[in-house]
Amino acid sequence: MASGEESKTTHRVLRINQLDALELNKALEQLVWAQFTQCFHGFKPGLFARFEPEVKALLWLFLWRFTIYSKNATVGQSVLNIRYKNDFSSNPRYQPPSANQKVWYAVCTIGGRWLEERCYDLLRNRHLASFGKAKQCVNFMVGLLKLGGLMNFLIFLQRGKFATLTERLLGIRSVFCKPQSAREVGFEYMNRELLWHGFAEFLIFLLPLINIQKLKARLSSWCSPLRGAPNSDSTVAARGKQCSLCGEWPTMPHTVGCEHVFCYYCVKSSFLFDMSFTCPACGTEAHGVQALKSGIEMSEVNAV
């Protein structure tokens, strides 16, 4: 039973898990460096500017000692239940990386970054011909390493092993620490979210096409009792205390053929916007805008 579990731990890790582990490692390094610099926030600015590559190398070496060297996994790998395995070993069971592989891992990762930063810092302000040639050599070597990393990444996407060039050169690959159990995925929540999202988009598309005023007038006409057609000016005066659109005292009162009164600008703009405009109060279809008859004075309306 134990041998079965040991064989399961050497199952290949998904590509996305290996890439996530690399991103977590980068985030951890940024967080550690930010916390470290905050400790010297009150000191002289640029205190570590001259020795920044060395300080970073010491911090990364400290992390390496308590992660890869002691636990055979980086912090990101530990979070994702991953660790390194010696791929050069012919033993089917799990074999951790050897001490030499761990040391060379630190040399290639920590030492390589320190050497690149220090060389660029030393050759940045040098203008002599000899330093120019050295700078070209450094750029050429860095370019070759970047190209090798790109080729390794393309091979990794195809085969799923050795996410970095360092892992391929040292023969260490990622495996699961514990057997991965089958995970059941429930799609009820996702289906519900997709349904409501599609329904919301449908409403956003549909609502501008609906004439709210006309619909409101139709509903009010259905709910209110049937009334006879207006045939007297007194009825108009009784309804003329407020505009049926804005609710204010009607300015330049006009009608649309029913007993309700509107401001001229309210009813005219609504009629121009919708030629099938209907009275929002009674639902009468407007065939035109008529001014309130001159025989009816607003004083009479106020008296009512």
Side-chain angles (χ1 to χ4, degrees):
M1 188 68 180
S3 61
E5 292 181 357
E6 288 290 343
S7 62
K8 288 181 182 179
T9 58
T10 60
H11 286 178
R12 185 176 299 178
V13 181
L14 297 177
R15 296 173 178 83
I16 187 63
N17 290 348
Q18 299 182 56
L19 296 178
D20 286 344
L22 294 177
E23 293 299 323
L24 288 174
N25 293 335
K26 294 178 183 179
L28 174 70
E29 291 177 358
Q30 295 176 359
L31 179 62
V32 170
W33 180 249
Q35 294 292 333
F36 181 80
T37 53
Q38 285 294 327
C39 297
F40 301 92
H41 181 71
F43 288 79
K44 181 181 178 180
L47 181 63
F48 295 108
R50 295 180 56 187
F51 308 102
E52 183 174 334
E54 286 75 17
V55 174
K56 284 185 176 181
L58 290 176
L59 285 176
W60 310 154
L61 191 63
F62 179 80
L63 291 177
W64 167 84
R65 171 61 182 83
F66 294 98
T67 55
I68 295 179
Y69 188 81
S70 60
K71 297 182 179 180
N72 304 319
T74 63
V75 176
Q77 289 177 329
S78 300
V79 172
L80 298 175
N81 189 32
I82 302 173
R83 60 182 173 181
Y84 279 130
K85 173 186 179 295
N86 187 356
D87 202 52
F88 290 153
S89 176
S90 58
N91 194 334
R93 296 184 178 182
Y94 171 77
Q95 293 294 328
S98 63
N100 291 332
Q101 288 175 319
K102 296 176 182 179
V103 172
W104 278 109
Y105 183 90
V107 171
C108 293
T109 55
I110 302 173
R113 283 187 293 178
W114 169 81
L115 184 62
E116 180 182 0
E117 293 180 7
R118 181 48 66 190
C119 288
Y120 278 132
D121 186 57
L122 291 175
L123 301 176
R124 183 180 303 166
N125 299 321
R126 308 292 183 177
H127 301 287
L128 298 178
S130 58
F131 286 106
K133 293 181 179 179
K135 187 175 182 179
Q136 290 180 358
C137 292
V138 171
N139 291 333
F140 180 74
M141 294 298 297
V142 172
L144 283 180
L145 291 175
K146 298 293 185 182
L147 180 61
L150 175 61
M151 297 299 296
N152 176 81
F153 184 73
L154 295 177
I155 298 173
F156 164 74
L157 293 179
Q158 181 182 7
R159 301 183 180 179
K161 292 177 60 177
F162 307 116
T164 62
L165 183 61
T166 303
E167 296 177 3
R168 185 175 297 277
L169 294 176
L170 298 179
I172 54 177
R173 66 183 179 93
S174 300
V175 295
F176 284 117
C177 298
K178 298 178 182 180
Q180 293 292 102
S181 58
R183 185 176 62 178
E184 296 182 359
V185 181
F187 294 98
E188 291 84 1
Y189 176 78
M190 186 181 300
N191 292 336
R192 186 165 60 250
E193 289 296 318
L194 290 175
L195 176 63
W196 282 111
H197 183 71
F199 184 67
E201 287 187 345
F202 175 73
L203 289 180
I204 292 174
F205 170 77
L206 183 63
L207 286 179
L209 304 178
I210 300 176
N211 191 335
I212 303 298
Q213 283 188 341
K214 192 172 183 179
L215 181 62
K216 182 180 178 181
R218 292 287 184 184
L219 293 176
S220 62
S221 63
W222 292 341
C223 296
S224 61
L226 296 176
R227 301 173 181 175
N231 52 9
S232 64
D233 294 340
S234 60
T235 307
V236 177
R239 301 286 185 179
K241 284 190 173 183
Q242 63 180 10
C243 172
S244 297
L245 286 174
C246 66
E248 300 295 333
W249 181 269
T251 304
M252 299 174 61
H254 280 64
T255 64
V256 293
C258 65
E259 58 190 31
H260 299 96
V261 178
F262 306 88
C263 299
Y264 171 73
Y265 296 105
C266 293
V267 69
K268 191 65 176 179
S269 59
S270 299
F271 185 73
L272 291 176
F273 177 76
D274 183 12
M275 298 303 295
S276 60
F277 172 74
T278 57
C279 176
C282 62
T284 302
E285 187 173 356
H287 299 286
V289 179
Q290 301 92 24
L292 198 64
K293 292 183 179 181
S294 58
I296 303 175
E297 299 293 339
M298 293 310 298
S299 58
E300 298 178 4
V301 173
N302 191 23
V304 176

